[in-house]
Amino acid sequence: MSQDRVNDFVVKFANVNGTGSASANSLLMKAIFRMGVPVSGKNFFPSNIQGLPTWYEIRVSEAGHLARSGRVDVMVAMNSQTYLQDLHEVSPGGTLLYDSTWPRDRMLARDDITVLGVPLARMCNEHFKSARTRVLMKNMAYVGALVALLDLDDEVVTALIREVFARKPSAIDANLEAVELGFRYAKEHFECPLPTRVERRDLTAGKIMIDGNTATALGCVYAGATVGAWYPITPSTSVMDAFKSFCERFRKDPETGERRYCVIQAEDELAAIGIVLGATWNGARAFTPTSGPGISLMSEFLGFAYFAELPAVVVDVQRVGPSTGMPTRTQQADLLAAAYASHGDTKHVLLFPANPRECFELAVAAFDLADRLQTPVILMSDLDLGMNDWMTDELEWDDAYRPDRGKVLDAAELESAQSFHRYLDKDGDGIAYRTYPGVHPKGAYFVRGSGHNKYGGYTENAREYQEVVDRLLRKWQTAAGLVPKAVIREHPQSAGVGIVAVGSSDPAVAEAVDALAERGIHVDYCRIRAFPFGPEVERFLAAHDRIFVVEQNRDAQLKALLTLETSCPKERLTSVLHYGGLPIDSRTVVEALLNAIQEGVTA
Amino acid sequence: MSQDRVNDFVVKFANVNGTGSASANSLLMKAIFRMGVPVSGKNFFPSNIQGLPTWYEIRVSEAGHLARSGRVDVMVAMNSQTYLQDLHEVSPGGTLLYDSTWPRDRMLARDDITVLGVPLARMCNEHFKSARTRVLMKNMAYVGALVALLDLDDEVVTALIREVFARKPSAIDANLEAVELGFRYAKEHFECPLPTRVERRDLTAGKIMIDGNTATALGCVYAGATVGAWYPITPSTSVMDAFKSFCERFRKDPETGERRYCVIQAEDELAAIGIVLGATWNGARAFTPTSGPGISLMSEFLGFAYFAELPAVVVDVQRVGPSTGMPTRTQQADLLAAAYASHGDTKHVLLFPANPRECFELAVAAFDLADRLQTPVILMSDLDLGMNDWMTDELEWDDAYRPDRGKVLDAAELESAQSFHRYLDKDGDGIAYRTYPGVHPKGAYFVRGSGHNKYGGYTENAREYQEVVDRLLRKWQTAAGLVPKAVIREHPQSAGVGIVAVGSSDPAVAEAVDALAERGIHVDYCRIRAFPFGPEVERFLAAHDRIFVVEQNRDAQLKALLTLETSCPKERLTSVLHYGGLPIDSRTVVEALLNAIQEGVTA
Amino acid sequence: MTSIAKPRIVHKGLKRNALGLTIRDYEGGMSTLCAGCGHDSITAAIVQAFFELDLPPHRAAKVSGIGCSSKTPAYFLGASHGFNAVHGRMPSIATGASAANRELYLIGVSGDGDSLSIGLGQFAHAVRRNLNMLYIIENNGVYGLTKGQFSASADIGTKAKRGEENRQPPIDAVQMALALGGTFVARGFSGDKEQLVPLIKAGLRHRGFALIDVLSPCVTFNDHEASTKSYAYTRRHSRSAVETDFVPPREPIRTSYAEGEVVPVELHDGSRVLLRKVSRDYDPRNRGAALDYIRARHRAGEIVTGLLYIGEDEPDLHGINHTTRVPLNALPYESLCPGSEALAQVQRRFR
Amino acid sequence: MTSIAKPRIVHKGLKRNALGLTIRDYEGGMSTLCAGCGHDSITAAIVQAFFELDLPPHRAAKVSGIGCSSKTPAYFLGASHGFNAVHGRMPSIATGASAANRELYLIGVSGDGDSLSIGLGQFAHAVRRNLNMLYIIENNGVYGLTKGQFSASADIGTKAKRGEENRQPPIDAVQMALALGGTFVARGFSGDKEQLVPLIKAGLRHRGFALIDVLSPCVTFNDHEASTKSYAYTRRHSRSAVETDFVPPREPIRTSYAEGEVVPVELHDGSRVLLRKVSRDYDPRNRGAALDYIRARHRAGEIVTGLLYIGEDEPDLHGINHTTRVPLNALPYESLCPGSEALAQVQRRFR
Ligand SMILES: Cc1ncc(C[n+]2csc(CCOP(=O)(O)OP(=O)(O)O)c2C)c(N)n1
Ligand SMILES: Cc1ncc(C[n+]2csc(CCOP(=O)(O)OP(=O)(O)O)c2C)c(N)n1
Ligand code: SF4
Ligand code: SF4
Ligand SMILES: [Mg+2]
Ligand SMILES: [Mg+2]
């Protein structure tokens, strides 16, 4: 009944958090990656530090489909609390691995799957002394069993263990032994490998496995950001952790230990964005990583920055809202809040990375755009992209890159200038020239969130005020031409059906497009990477009379932005929504489109 | 050259703030009102306490058109700083009154208007001793001159003075004398009355002159609000000032001096909304008045209240944004910020009063809706409506009114109940039952902004979470049926052209509709009073193929809400925008429609 | 917030209080905190105090912010309403709750991050208003829930688990409250239940804002060597300045003390706190002196614990506002609405 | 924020400082505050101090929040950049500015509402970070710009113009700063320019957070009888504890003092402040003692003024962060970007 699934299956781990399973699971994933087979790992963890259920899902896909697939071929059920639920999740023909140290309730069975018991606890208790080690090694023991069952290359695993524990060699032997225990037990008691197994390939060359937050942090370092301000919040915290450690490595004077950066843990998010604005006012590149609640708290200052025209880079690693919501689940539900943050007439530039490589590239772009446009730019990531390890193209860097600091007058220019007026639109692109404090007396002006005229003076005059806010609209037009273009994938035989999506929905949509193609349905795909929308988005929308907007929120927020900010008739847009908090899977998209197209036919 | 303008003209006063002109000007307006002629007064004051230019505009309109008209028939130019500008504003054929104590620069003249000089300062200096009195009485002196020039009923004026200064009789005589001074001088030196003059009518019976903030405060008192929390901010401050004084009058025990209300001046707006939520959680009716910046600061808590389902009444007296903007100018630019306040999928109920009487009525409705829907309700007023004196229908009260507290279980119901689950949708309307702390052990539950299931338990489970947020959408549908209906004015011969507007734009739109009718263009008018939009709005939109959305902001925010939240094709909607900070005038609307309709024809 | 339903087995012969309730009736859901977390001991002390005070659970309301500490209200008083506010904003929720129902027993549980970083402003202003509530800060010097960053209460020189050293001066909630006019200021240690329970009882009975800053080690992120908020360090350096006994109304003071050794303070409901001074040069009813003493001992490297200051005569929020005795949420609508005639009257002014 | 361009007539023979600038060069736009507002006197003192310190105006940056007080940066140093932040959030702007350019002379001007109500949290944390700036609170006990509501610095018993009495304890920025580890804490009075100018000079030269709480009466809303922030009341009750002279670098200390009467404190740029103690039982270099003294005098109904505490040895924001000497905004990009090879290296970890 179980068919072969070489390099095309899902292994899921059910653990208890705080027991060290995370490192074991990702080690296993890394091993498969090194065998040249594309993989991805999704971590479903609780908003808690220790003792609650946590799951890890590894998808192995020779075809390179790395979204969630909805199936589970091998379940490693290490948590008795959730055993029943985990058992039911296994796809027919699949395998379940459990710790047979304790007799398993006979009720907990299914005859359409293979259930394998490994006495993990017993083996580890017999083999290891300290309680802590015994707990940790149980994880490595099931890794060992899987090496046998999935036919992994044990040399790769051994090498990985040596690398991971390079810093404390003492641990290396224990881990190797644990793996060996599990491996031998599996070999002796089961028929290895399983039909779901890994075969070496060469499909991961030029790729890396990295989480989006780390890549974002690298982008901030390479863009030349010197000031980082933040208030810790899941799932954005690792952005600043990574930024700090990279700076410690690359921005610290070996002799004096002096730092060429300054990271400030603010008292809250209102202060964090304020610190960023104080820094960019003075010409430093500055950023703050946060999540939904932070965006709400920053909204007053975001409106200020829009009106006073100060650069700022905000990284919104989105989680499930509203309010505190589910801090350890993913969603794309801050689009409206970010796009129109703050009272009054305001609009903000948004960027949508869809994989870690883009987190890196768009982070750099965010700083250039913020400086060029003199306005906040919000990098819209999310928990799935930010905290999970994704297989992505190697990051590349052009050493010829120099930051675009936008229109800034230096001392010499000010010296020779007749006069300086902060908000004059000399070039007709809606962008005025700015100056930094401390540079030249002629450059002095007031940054203010209150009414001002084009010369920078305070005003309560209707005409003068209007001149300024109307120019801001011209600047918005300019922005639409400067932001990163959408990635458009069109098919020669496409039937005028298109899909639009942003960010981490990409793998699911891409897989869905392929799946539909196999069914002979050819849809075009426009992955938007920025707001405001560029002309290419308008063109795509105009060229399709049926457009599906795939997004991970309840209220169709991307569709709302398309409706408001493009000329596309809203009747052409159909929503495909996924907002339960787990990353969107390809099935959802395929089914939604098939149903809709069905209706279209039957109607 | 100057034609008769009986009961149809505008008097504008140019003063310096902090010189006591305000009371003189409103006294004059009140006098005209008491003569039975409709009037309105608009105050254009600086964001400052003393010494800067300030203007007051009184429109007299037998036809009852009370929006700004764009013309100035009589200018009282008391501020040398702005004299030139004020002179130019006078409409051809108009009159300018100035203080001729000092010789006037000959350059400052116009031959298409009548310029009248009254030696106000001299007269007052000769007549009064103290410096302070001299300054104040100058204002009453020009009032006197105007009584003669505009042919006002001096008995009415005298009576008013006695009332206004009832508390300090000493002032009465001085004021009467000052009026007499100006009156006599005018009679002696000018031909009185002017062609622009007032004739007694009986058109103000059943009307009052009141500002929206005071009416809103009365609404809060009558709705039974007991807890008010706020942080002072222009132009909302007078809401709480009025609420306090009414409560001191009606809610204070004559013997003990104990208060049946509690007003708390919070440390900021985040705290103000928090206090409101703490109070409504415990079953008190609570509210907070604020303006744009406050909405931004409250957005985190607003999202919390939406998700945790707590009532709250927020009064947003809108001012010019973005950011600090122009605190003493008016705008309707917080619609998007309020409708979708906070990160994640959130929507909030908005009410749009269009005159002080509606401020009173919708304030009461806001509390009923907040309790019924268990969610924040935001009363969207603005500076023009909130701080200016409007002629409005008398406020009426039905003593049979009892608050709708919505679905609340009391001790008896809980005692007899099998069990209580906070978020169960028993009635299918998306509204669950709630309980108050301290009532009954069975009623205990946790209010939380984190993920919860329909039983009120904490959850990180996708299905359970989705059940709850999907129900919130059902509740939203219910809301659309409960909110105040739009006021629709249709014309038998209408040519399928409609206007949609909200709030303080009403007088300008109403006048424009009449003006267009005179031109033979009959347009229908739908004044929306709430968001979400009710079925009647859908019907109106469906029935018109050309709809003009008139609003006082730059980004067409009302049009955006209509585009997103109704089925009306956006192509049918055309914006008429006015956002300089002065209240919208009828001309703007008329011209916009004529041009558009022209194009329509020529195109 | 997370909480697992706990099997409620009532052992026969389990002690019952005046209300006939057993201690089980004051418990809540199963804790999901790390094994050994100081916060759990505080939860136990709260349960104990409520049980011994014979308070009906449903007359209490629990408020908290966000953090491991702020999760704990789910673990005690299962029959009381609870409110997890947004991070750092619990004091404003408590203010509104107290305004609406002055008869509630309000218990606020917060963390050092929740109250001294993002929530500093609201905390300070709640103290100023002398809000009638018990406010417990479960102080571990770090942000536990976000995995161990320093909080504003971290001492200079203390080291994070990863070795990073804090060089910013700490904010001490106790000194802060004293400087802001707090009327009941205490410090405890999660490891010392004997001291903590009477403090909680007295705090619940105090009319006004009762602050208890409880040192509560975070075993996962801040219980190591070189941490000044670890169990070991706190045990070594904390020193009780006043020992507190709580005596309910009408109950005679049994234990007899030597002259002058004990200061009895009568609370508004007739109950008393007996303050046994450990060091005679210390007066828990003199705000200035208390502050001076704490600062002095602190310079000497000591963390002073106990009920450090109590003043029963300051008006609370409602005293300041002269609010009617009946809770505002219980006033009949008729007593709130002036009616149509009054409305007609009022409008004369507008004609 | 409002400001009317002021005709800049330079009178011949107007005194010039070391930079050849006259006092006019340090002025700003015409004030639009009420005639007699205390804030205008503080503006004048700032102008005076900058002129006398020979500071180039464009090396200074002015930051403020929202309020009448926060408008004043428009009225001095017209050749300096200015930043009117949103209400109560100026300290975070200053923090970022200081982080980006450690060489700026940062002057923050705020109000009691701006810093002690909505801004309390940011103010407190700026003190903790020992941000290198001069921070002036123009303290009038009310919200001037919104027409006279009580602020958090209003004293108990003080009456509003309309007669309402405040019954909440005040927040004293000075005690707060001392408790939070502030390194330069002073109090002044807008009516006493002689005292104020040297305080401002010293504050500008101090490396770290220099707080000057300046009592600055609001003539329009809080200068009446029964107000404790009026000119009359302040004159009657303020008492100078230390008289401060500021001596620039390399300049000899001319005036001679009796033994022990004067405490000279050397600042980081070599300039000195001479602290002449009025009451001998007072030591401006002992934080605890300073706090105790202020509290004691306060109990005696006195408002202590002067440079109440100064400590030059605490690290400022950059000291704590070990930031490189070169201002971060002046670092060449080349010194910030690790380059392509480093990127390749880093990625080994991810294979
Ligand atoms: C607005 C906002 N910012 C940040 C967070 C993330 N966050 C949750 S708890 C916490 C700190 C908790 O520290 P503390 O109050 O000391 O509680 P502890 O976990 O140490 O007991 C933070 C920063 C949040 N939930 N909301
Ligand atoms: C977010 C926000 N809330 C409220 C206001 C309104 N407001 C402006 S100034 C001010 C208080 C100013 O008081 P203070 O700081 O003491 O300055 P002063 O006018 O007394 O000098 C307030 C409440 C605002 N501008 N922004
Ligand atoms: S992380 Fe620390 S504070 Fe949080 S539960 Fe664990 S031990 Fe307690
Ligand atoms: S209102 Fe008060 S603070 Fe404001 S300018 Fe006038 S006097 Fe000064
Ligand atoms: Mg903590
Ligand atoms: Mg003030």
Side-chain angles (χ1 to χ4, degrees), chain A residues 337-348:
Chain A
Y340 302 117
S342 202
H343 62 283
D345 291 306
T346 55
K347 298 177 176 211
H348 304 288

PDB file of all heavy atoms in Angstrom, chain A residues 337-348:
ATOM      1  N   ALA A 337      -2.448  48.451   7.860  1.00  0.00           N
ATOM      2  CA  ALA A 337      -1.921  49.217   8.993  1.00  0.00           C
ATOM      3  C   ALA A 337      -0.609  49.899   8.613  1.00  0.00           C
ATOM      4  O   ALA A 337      -0.371  51.051   8.973  1.00  0.00           O
ATOM      5  CB  ALA A 337      -1.710  48.308  10.199  1.00  0.00           C
ATOM      6  N   ALA A 338       0.228  49.205   7.858  1.00  0.00           N
ATOM      7  CA  ALA A 338       1.533  49.766   7.492  1.00  0.00           C
ATOM      8  C   ALA A 338       1.394  50.772   6.355  1.00  0.00           C
ATOM      9  O   ALA A 338       1.991  51.848   6.386  1.00  0.00           O
ATOM     10  CB  ALA A 338       2.491  48.648   7.095  1.00  0.00           C
ATOM     11  N   ALA A 339       0.579  50.461   5.362  1.00  0.00           N
ATOM     12  CA  ALA A 339       0.479  51.325   4.181  1.00  0.00           C
ATOM     13  C   ALA A 339      -0.076  52.704   4.529  1.00  0.00           C
ATOM     14  O   ALA A 339       0.363  53.713   3.980  1.00  0.00           O
ATOM     15  CB  ALA A 339      -0.398  50.663   3.125  1.00  0.00           C
ATOM     16  N   TYR A 340      -1.029  52.738   5.440  1.00  0.00           N
ATOM     17  CA  TYR A 340      -1.669  54.017   5.785  1.00  0.00           C
ATOM     18  C   TYR A 340      -1.459  54.386   7.249  1.00  0.00           C
ATOM     19  O   TYR A 340      -2.268  55.119   7.837  1.00  0.00           O
ATOM     20  CB  TYR A 340      -3.166  53.952   5.466  1.00  0.00           C
ATOM     21  CG  TYR A 340      -3.464  53.628   4.016  1.00  0.00           C
ATOM     22  CD1 TYR A 340      -4.143  52.460   3.660  1.00  0.00           C
ATOM     23  CD2 TYR A 340      -3.048  54.489   2.997  1.00  0.00           C
ATOM     24  CE1 TYR A 340      -4.411  52.169   2.320  1.00  0.00           C
ATOM     25  CE2 TYR A 340      -3.311  54.201   1.660  1.00  0.00           C
ATOM     26  CZ  TYR A 340      -3.991  53.040   1.332  1.00  0.00           C
ATOM     27  OH  TYR A 340      -4.245  52.752   0.014  1.00  0.00           O
ATOM     28  N   ALA A 341      -0.380  53.912   7.843  1.00  0.00           N
ATOM     29  CA  ALA A 341      -0.148  54.151   9.262  1.00  0.00           C
ATOM     30  C   ALA A 341      -0.302  55.624   9.617  1.00  0.00           C
ATOM     31  O   ALA A 341       0.169  56.495   8.903  1.00  0.00           O
ATOM     32  CB  ALA A 341       1.253  53.674   9.652  1.00  0.00           C
ATOM     33  N   SER A 342      -0.979  55.862  10.723  1.00  0.00           N
ATOM     34  CA  SER A 342      -1.182  57.192  11.310  1.00  0.00           C
ATOM     35  C   SER A 342      -2.383  57.942  10.760  1.00  0.00           C
ATOM     36  O   SER A 342      -2.851  57.680   9.652  1.00  0.00           O
ATOM     37  CB  SER A 342       0.069  58.061  11.150  1.00  0.00           C
ATOM     38  OG  SER A 342       0.065  59.087  12.117  1.00  0.00           O
ATOM     39  N   HIS A 343      -2.856  58.891  11.559  1.00  0.00           N
ATOM     40  CA  HIS A 343      -4.009  59.733  11.223  1.00  0.00           C
ATOM     41  C   HIS A 343      -3.622  60.713  10.116  1.00  0.00           C
ATOM     42  O   HIS A 343      -2.445  60.896   9.823  1.00  0.00           O
ATOM     43  CB  HIS A 343      -4.429  60.501  12.470  1.00  0.00           C
ATOM     44  CG  HIS A 343      -3.351  61.412  12.979  1.00  0.00           C
ATOM     45  ND1 HIS A 343      -2.261  60.932  13.695  1.00  0.00           N
ATOM     46  CD2 HIS A 343      -3.150  62.734  12.839  1.00  0.00           C
ATOM     47  CE1 HIS A 343      -1.465  61.930  13.987  1.00  0.00           C
ATOM     48  NE2 HIS A 343      -1.965  63.045  13.483  1.00  0.00           N
ATOM     49  N   GLY A 344      -4.623  61.354   9.553  1.00  0.00           N
ATOM     50  CA  GLY A 344      -4.363  62.306   8.475  1.00  0.00           C
ATOM     51  C   GLY A 344      -4.045  61.575   7.183  1.00  0.00           C
ATOM     52  O   GLY A 344      -4.077  60.348   7.117  1.00  0.00           O
ATOM     53  N   ASP A 345      -3.766  62.345   6.125  1.00  0.00           N
ATOM     54  CA  ASP A 345      -3.469  61.753   4.817  1.00  0.00           C
ATOM     55  C   ASP A 345      -2.022  61.291   4.766  1.00  0.00           C
ATOM     56  O   ASP A 345      -1.113  62.108   4.636  1.00  0.00           O
ATOM     57  CB  ASP A 345      -3.728  62.787   3.714  1.00  0.00           C
ATOM     58  CG  ASP A 345      -5.214  63.092   3.546  1.00  0.00           C
ATOM     59  OD1 ASP A 345      -5.985  62.133   3.358  1.00  0.00           O
ATOM     60  OD2 ASP A 345      -5.592  64.276   3.630  1.00  0.00           O
ATOM     61  N   THR A 346      -1.822  59.985   4.893  1.00  0.00           N
ATOM     62  CA  THR A 346      -0.463  59.442   4.894  1.00  0.00           C
ATOM     63  C   THR A 346      -0.400  58.178   4.040  1.00  0.00           C
ATOM     64  O   THR A 346      -1.381  57.436   3.934  1.00  0.00           O
ATOM     65  CB  THR A 346      -0.034  59.030   6.315  1.00  0.00           C
ATOM     66  OG1 THR A 346      -1.014  58.124   6.832  1.00  0.00           O
ATOM     67  CG2 THR A 346       0.065  60.232   7.239  1.00  0.00           C
ATOM     68  N   LYS A 347       0.751  57.951   3.414  1.00  0.00           N
ATOM     69  CA  LYS A 347       1.001  56.716   2.660  1.00  0.00           C
ATOM     70  C   LYS A 347       2.452  56.332   2.857  1.00  0.00           C
ATOM     71  O   LYS A 347       3.328  57.193   2.871  1.00  0.00           O
ATOM     72  CB  LYS A 347       0.779  56.947   1.161  1.00  0.00           C
ATOM     73  CG  LYS A 347      -0.624  57.346   0.778  1.00  0.00           C
ATOM     74  CD  LYS A 347      -0.688  57.611  -0.720  1.00  0.00           C
ATOM     75  CE  LYS A 347      -2.089  57.914  -1.170  1.00  0.00           C
ATOM     76  NZ  LYS A 347      -2.340  57.461  -2.554  1.00  0.00           N
ATOM     77  N   HIS A 348       2.698  55.056   3.009  1.00  0.00           N
ATOM     78  CA  HIS A 348       4.063  54.618   3.260  1.00  0.00           C
ATOM     79  C   HIS A 348       4.524  53.580   2.248  1.00  0.00           C
ATOM     80  O   HIS A 348       3.724  52.776   1.755  1.00  0.00           O
ATOM     81  CB  HIS A 348       4.176  54.055   4.672  1.00  0.00           C
ATOM     82  CG  HIS A 348       3.736  55.017   5.725  1.00  0.00           C
ATOM     83  ND1 HIS A 348       4.470  56.133   6.083  1.00  0.00           N
ATOM     84  CD2 HIS A 348       2.609  55.062   6.479  1.00  0.00           C
ATOM     85  CE1 HIS A 348       3.825  56.806   7.015  1.00  0.00           C
ATOM     86  NE2 HIS A 348       2.693  56.185   7.265  1.00  0.00           N
TER      87      HIS A 348
END
